[in-house]
Amino acid sequence: GPQGRLLWIDIALRCLHSTDSGTARTETIKLSDSPGAAALMEGPDLLLALGGRLLTLGPDDGLSPLAQLVQAGPRRCNDGTA
């Protein structure tokens, strides 16, 4: 799961990075749209603000939509507080 990991996003390259605090190994997931935030959820999933949508990212790197927040276009969700 995501506990014990440092998560960060690269907006320009559309990536989510995750570094294991025990091994210092970093995994990178390429995303389909510009990320604005990532947050831990209960269980193994992460909550992502991606473009104008909220999605969950499962342990298999599968994305599941939760909500459309802004219309398609140049806008995106930006900054998150969990």
Side-chain angles (χ1 to χ4, degrees):
Q3 289 73 17
R5 302 185 76 79
L6 172 67
L7 303 172
W8 75 99
I9 56 174
D10 185 325
I11 296 168
L13 294 179
R14 297 182 173 181
C15 293
L16 171 69
H17 303 284
S18 174
T19 300
D20 185 293
S21 63
T23 65
R25 180 173 178 235
T26 299
E27 298 176 12
T28 299
I29 299 170
K30 183 72 174 155
L31 302 168
S32 61
D33 206 344
S34 297
L40 298 176
M41 297 178 66
E42 287 192 32
D45 292 350
L46 295 174
L47 178 66
L48 288 181
L50 193 61
R53 305 167 291 153
L54 286 180
L55 303 104
T56 58
L57 176 68
D60 62 352
D61 296 342
L63 291 171
S64 299
L66 288 178
Q68 181 75 36
L69 302 176
V70 296
Q71 296 298 322
R75 295 188 208 173
R76 66 174 175 81
C77 298
N78 190 29
D79 298 332
T81 302

mmCIF file of all heavy atoms in Angstrom, residues 7 9-10 18-19 28 33 36 38-39 42 44 46 48-50 52-53 58 61 65-68 72-74 77 81:
data_model
loop_
_atom_site.group_PDB
_atom_site.id
_atom_site.type_symbol
_atom_site.label_atom_id
_atom_site.label_comp_id
_atom_site.label_asym_id
_atom_site.label_seq_id
_atom_site.Cartn_x
_atom_site.Cartn_y
_atom_site.Cartn_z
ATOM 1 N N LEU A 7 4.991 10.498 -1.833
ATOM 2 C CA LEU A 7 4.324 10.694 -3.121
ATOM 3 C C LEU A 7 4.559 12.113 -3.598
ATOM 4 O O LEU A 7 4.502 13.054 -2.803
ATOM 5 C CB LEU A 7 2.818 10.475 -2.983
ATOM 6 C CG LEU A 7 2.363 9.129 -2.437
ATOM 7 C CD1 LEU A 7 0.872 9.159 -2.182
ATOM 8 C CD2 LEU A 7 2.722 8.019 -3.404
ATOM 9 N N ILE A 9 3.991 14.681 -7.417
ATOM 10 C CA ILE A 9 3.534 14.736 -8.804
ATOM 11 C C ILE A 9 4.430 15.660 -9.611
ATOM 12 O O ILE A 9 5.014 16.601 -9.084
ATOM 13 C CB ILE A 9 2.062 15.181 -8.905
ATOM 14 C CG1 ILE A 9 1.836 16.532 -8.219
ATOM 15 C CG2 ILE A 9 1.140 14.130 -8.332
ATOM 16 C CD1 ILE A 9 0.452 17.092 -8.396
ATOM 17 N N ASP A 10 4.526 15.362 -10.884
ATOM 18 C CA ASP A 10 5.217 16.215 -11.844
ATOM 19 C C ASP A 10 4.159 16.662 -12.837
ATOM 20 O O ASP A 10 3.719 15.876 -13.684
ATOM 21 C CB ASP A 10 6.337 15.444 -12.539
ATOM 22 C CG ASP A 10 7.160 16.312 -13.468
ATOM 23 O OD1 ASP A 10 6.587 17.226 -14.110
ATOM 24 O OD2 ASP A 10 8.371 16.073 -13.554
ATOM 25 N N SER A 18 6.478 7.760 -6.584
ATOM 26 C CA SER A 18 6.300 7.172 -5.265
ATOM 27 C C SER A 18 7.616 6.538 -4.837
ATOM 28 O O SER A 18 8.130 5.639 -5.516
ATOM 29 C CB SER A 18 5.189 6.115 -5.332
ATOM 30 O OG SER A 18 5.066 5.432 -4.124
ATOM 31 N N THR A 19 8.162 7.025 -3.712
ATOM 32 C CA THR A 19 9.427 6.499 -3.199
ATOM 33 C C THR A 19 9.183 5.746 -1.902
ATOM 34 O O THR A 19 8.569 6.278 -0.977
ATOM 35 C CB THR A 19 10.439 7.632 -2.957
ATOM 36 O OG1 THR A 19 10.685 8.305 -4.194
ATOM 37 C CG2 THR A 19 11.758 7.094 -2.421
ATOM 38 N N THR A 28 7.519 5.332 -10.940
ATOM 39 C CA THR A 28 6.879 6.441 -11.641
ATOM 40 C C THR A 28 5.733 5.898 -12.476
ATOM 41 O O THR A 28 5.893 4.918 -13.196
ATOM 42 C CB THR A 28 7.885 7.172 -12.540
ATOM 43 O OG1 THR A 28 8.930 7.697 -11.720
ATOM 44 C CG2 THR A 28 7.232 8.314 -13.302
ATOM 45 N N ASP A 33 -3.319 12.810 -18.010
ATOM 46 C CA ASP A 33 -3.652 14.232 -17.958
ATOM 47 C C ASP A 33 -2.806 14.880 -16.858
ATOM 48 O O ASP A 33 -2.135 14.192 -16.095
ATOM 49 C CB ASP A 33 -5.147 14.408 -17.648
ATOM 50 C CG ASP A 33 -5.716 15.708 -18.170
ATOM 51 O OD1 ASP A 33 -4.933 16.627 -18.512
ATOM 52 O OD2 ASP A 33 -6.954 15.827 -18.238
ATOM 53 N N GLY A 36 -3.029 17.387 -10.331
ATOM 54 C CA GLY A 36 -3.038 18.548 -9.465
ATOM 55 C C GLY A 36 -2.780 18.193 -8.016
ATOM 56 O O GLY A 36 -2.282 19.002 -7.257
ATOM 57 N N ALA A 38 -2.422 14.450 -5.123
ATOM 58 C CA ALA A 38 -2.536 13.028 -4.795
ATOM 59 C C ALA A 38 -2.699 12.925 -3.288
ATOM 60 O O ALA A 38 -2.065 13.670 -2.545
ATOM 61 C CB ALA A 38 -1.299 12.259 -5.253
ATOM 62 N N ALA A 39 -3.573 12.025 -2.837
ATOM 63 C CA ALA A 39 -3.811 11.869 -1.402
ATOM 64 C C ALA A 39 -4.042 10.400 -1.072
ATOM 65 O O ALA A 39 -4.571 9.645 -1.894
ATOM 66 C CB ALA A 39 -5.016 12.692 -0.975
ATOM 67 N N GLU A 42 -8.206 5.413 2.706
ATOM 68 C CA GLU A 42 -8.193 4.194 3.499
ATOM 69 C C GLU A 42 -8.057 3.028 2.538
ATOM 70 O O GLU A 42 -8.671 3.016 1.482
ATOM 71 C CB GLU A 42 -9.471 4.075 4.317
ATOM 72 C CG GLU A 42 -9.492 5.045 5.483
ATOM 73 C CD GLU A 42 -10.613 4.742 6.453
ATOM 74 O OE1 GLU A 42 -10.977 3.561 6.612
ATOM 75 O OE2 GLU A 42 -11.105 5.696 7.048
ATOM 76 N N PRO A 44 -5.715 0.481 -0.005
ATOM 77 C CA PRO A 44 -4.537 0.615 -0.865
ATOM 78 C C PRO A 44 -4.632 1.696 -1.940
ATOM 79 O O PRO A 44 -3.644 2.003 -2.583
ATOM 80 C CB PRO A 44 -4.445 -0.769 -1.514
ATOM 81 C CG PRO A 44 -5.881 -1.219 -1.600
ATOM 82 C CD PRO A 44 -6.528 -0.679 -0.345
ATOM 83 N N LEU A 46 -5.173 5.383 -3.951
ATOM 84 C CA LEU A 46 -4.840 6.804 -3.835
ATOM 85 C C LEU A 46 -5.950 7.606 -4.499
ATOM 86 O O LEU A 46 -6.573 7.152 -5.452
ATOM 87 C CB LEU A 46 -3.530 7.115 -4.551
ATOM 88 C CG LEU A 46 -2.270 6.476 -4.007
ATOM 89 C CD1 LEU A 46 -1.095 6.782 -4.931
ATOM 90 C CD2 LEU A 46 -1.975 6.966 -2.610
ATOM 91 N N LEU A 48 -6.623 10.860 -6.758
ATOM 92 C CA LEU A 48 -5.897 11.756 -7.664
ATOM 93 C C LEU A 48 -6.831 12.822 -8.205
ATOM 94 O O LEU A 48 -7.957 12.530 -8.594
ATOM 95 C CB LEU A 48 -5.338 10.991 -8.862
ATOM 96 C CG LEU A 48 -4.175 10.054 -8.663
ATOM 97 C CD1 LEU A 48 -3.786 9.422 -9.993
ATOM 98 C CD2 LEU A 48 -2.988 10.774 -8.074
ATOM 99 N N ALA A 49 -6.349 14.062 -8.226
ATOM 100 C CA ALA A 49 -6.989 15.120 -8.998
ATOM 101 C C ALA A 49 -6.219 15.146 -10.314
ATOM 102 O O ALA A 49 -5.015 15.404 -10.339
ATOM 103 C CB ALA A 49 -6.891 16.456 -8.278
ATOM 104 N N LEU A 50 -6.909 14.814 -11.387
ATOM 105 C CA LEU A 50 -6.266 14.648 -12.689
ATOM 106 C C LEU A 50 -7.060 15.435 -13.713
ATOM 107 O O LEU A 50 -8.219 15.108 -13.979
ATOM 108 C CB LEU A 50 -6.234 13.156 -13.040
ATOM 109 C CG LEU A 50 -5.374 12.695 -14.182
ATOM 110 C CD1 LEU A 50 -3.910 13.005 -13.931
ATOM 111 C CD2 LEU A 50 -5.552 11.204 -14.405
ATOM 112 N N GLY A 52 -9.537 17.877 -14.730
ATOM 113 C CA GLY A 52 -10.683 18.403 -13.993
ATOM 114 C C GLY A 52 -11.476 17.321 -13.299
ATOM 115 O O GLY A 52 -12.646 17.504 -12.996
ATOM 116 N N ARG A 53 -10.838 16.168 -13.043
ATOM 117 C CA ARG A 53 -11.553 15.021 -12.480
ATOM 118 C C ARG A 53 -10.900 14.530 -11.197
ATOM 119 O O ARG A 53 -9.723 14.758 -10.962
ATOM 120 C CB ARG A 53 -11.542 13.849 -13.477
ATOM 121 C CG ARG A 53 -12.095 14.206 -14.837
ATOM 122 C CD ARG A 53 -11.791 13.142 -15.868
ATOM 123 N NE ARG A 53 -10.344 13.147 -16.151
ATOM 124 C CZ ARG A 53 -9.663 12.096 -16.578
ATOM 125 N NH1 ARG A 53 -10.252 10.940 -16.784
ATOM 126 N NH2 ARG A 53 -8.374 12.186 -16.816
ATOM 127 N N GLY A 58 -5.733 2.444 -8.190
ATOM 128 C CA GLY A 58 -5.619 1.191 -7.452
ATOM 129 C C GLY A 58 -4.202 0.650 -7.460
ATOM 130 O O GLY A 58 -3.334 1.136 -8.183
ATOM 131 N N ASP A 61 -2.421 0.005 -10.646
ATOM 132 C CA ASP A 61 -2.262 1.213 -11.464
ATOM 133 C C ASP A 61 -3.490 1.510 -12.321
ATOM 134 O O ASP A 61 -3.421 2.305 -13.252
ATOM 135 C CB ASP A 61 -1.004 1.167 -12.343
ATOM 136 C CG ASP A 61 0.274 1.123 -11.533
ATOM 137 O OD1 ASP A 61 0.221 1.475 -10.338
ATOM 138 O OD2 ASP A 61 1.309 0.741 -12.085
ATOM 139 N N PRO A 65 -12.938 6.484 -12.233
ATOM 140 C CA PRO A 65 -13.457 7.844 -12.075
ATOM 141 C C PRO A 65 -14.375 7.978 -10.862
ATOM 142 O O PRO A 65 -15.131 7.066 -10.539
ATOM 143 C CB PRO A 65 -14.234 8.079 -13.374
ATOM 144 C CG PRO A 65 -14.541 6.726 -13.902
ATOM 145 C CD PRO A 65 -13.487 5.802 -13.397
ATOM 146 N N LEU A 66 -14.278 9.129 -10.186
ATOM 147 C CA LEU A 66 -15.173 9.459 -9.075
ATOM 148 C C LEU A 66 -16.071 10.635 -9.417
ATOM 149 O O LEU A 66 -17.262 10.591 -9.170
ATOM 150 C CB LEU A 66 -14.370 9.807 -7.817
ATOM 151 C CG LEU A 66 -13.677 8.674 -7.097
ATOM 152 C CD1 LEU A 66 -12.895 9.212 -5.903
ATOM 153 C CD2 LEU A 66 -14.671 7.639 -6.628
ATOM 154 N N ALA A 67 -15.489 11.720 -9.964
ATOM 155 C CA ALA A 67 -16.285 12.922 -10.241
ATOM 156 C C ALA A 67 -15.601 13.793 -11.280
ATOM 157 O O ALA A 67 -14.377 13.869 -11.325
ATOM 158 C CB ALA A 67 -16.498 13.725 -8.964
ATOM 159 N N GLN A 68 -16.414 14.450 -12.103
ATOM 160 C CA GLN A 68 -15.938 15.474 -13.031
ATOM 161 C C GLN A 68 -16.141 16.808 -12.325
ATOM 162 O O GLN A 68 -17.257 17.139 -11.942
ATOM 163 C CB GLN A 68 -16.738 15.437 -14.330
ATOM 164 C CG GLN A 68 -16.312 16.446 -15.365
ATOM 165 C CD GLN A 68 -15.011 16.058 -16.048
ATOM 166 O OE1 GLN A 68 -14.743 14.896 -16.287
ATOM 167 N NE2 GLN A 68 -14.206 17.048 -16.360
ATOM 168 N N ALA A 72 -13.859 20.210 -19.477
ATOM 169 C CA ALA A 72 -12.631 19.918 -20.224
ATOM 170 C C ALA A 72 -12.073 21.214 -20.794
ATOM 171 O O ALA A 72 -12.807 22.156 -21.087
ATOM 172 C CB ALA A 72 -12.930 18.931 -21.334
ATOM 173 N N GLY A 73 -10.791 21.272 -20.943
ATOM 174 C CA GLY A 73 -10.136 22.460 -21.481
ATOM 175 C C GLY A 73 -8.860 22.733 -20.736
ATOM 176 O O GLY A 73 -8.274 21.824 -20.144
ATOM 177 N N PRO A 74 -8.435 23.978 -20.719
ATOM 178 C CA PRO A 74 -7.137 24.305 -20.115
ATOM 179 C C PRO A 74 -7.146 24.294 -18.578
ATOM 180 O O PRO A 74 -6.122 24.381 -17.962
ATOM 181 C CB PRO A 74 -6.827 25.692 -20.647
ATOM 182 C CG PRO A 74 -8.162 26.294 -20.900
ATOM 183 C CD PRO A 74 -9.030 25.136 -21.356
ATOM 184 N N CYS A 77 -7.678 20.759 -11.772
ATOM 185 C CA CYS A 77 -7.658 20.849 -10.315
ATOM 186 C C CYS A 77 -6.228 21.166 -9.893
ATOM 187 O O CYS A 77 -5.277 20.650 -10.477
ATOM 188 C CB CYS A 77 -8.085 19.525 -9.703
ATOM 189 S SG CYS A 77 -9.762 19.061 -10.126
ATOM 190 N N THR A 81 -5.526 19.351 -0.215
ATOM 191 C CA THR A 81 -5.271 19.255 1.209
ATOM 192 C C THR A 81 -6.016 18.041 1.720
ATOM 193 O O THR A 81 -7.205 17.908 1.472
ATOM 194 C CB THR A 81 -5.758 20.516 1.953
ATOM 195 O OG1 THR A 81 -5.098 21.646 1.384
ATOM 196 C CG2 THR A 81 -5.438 20.432 3.422
#
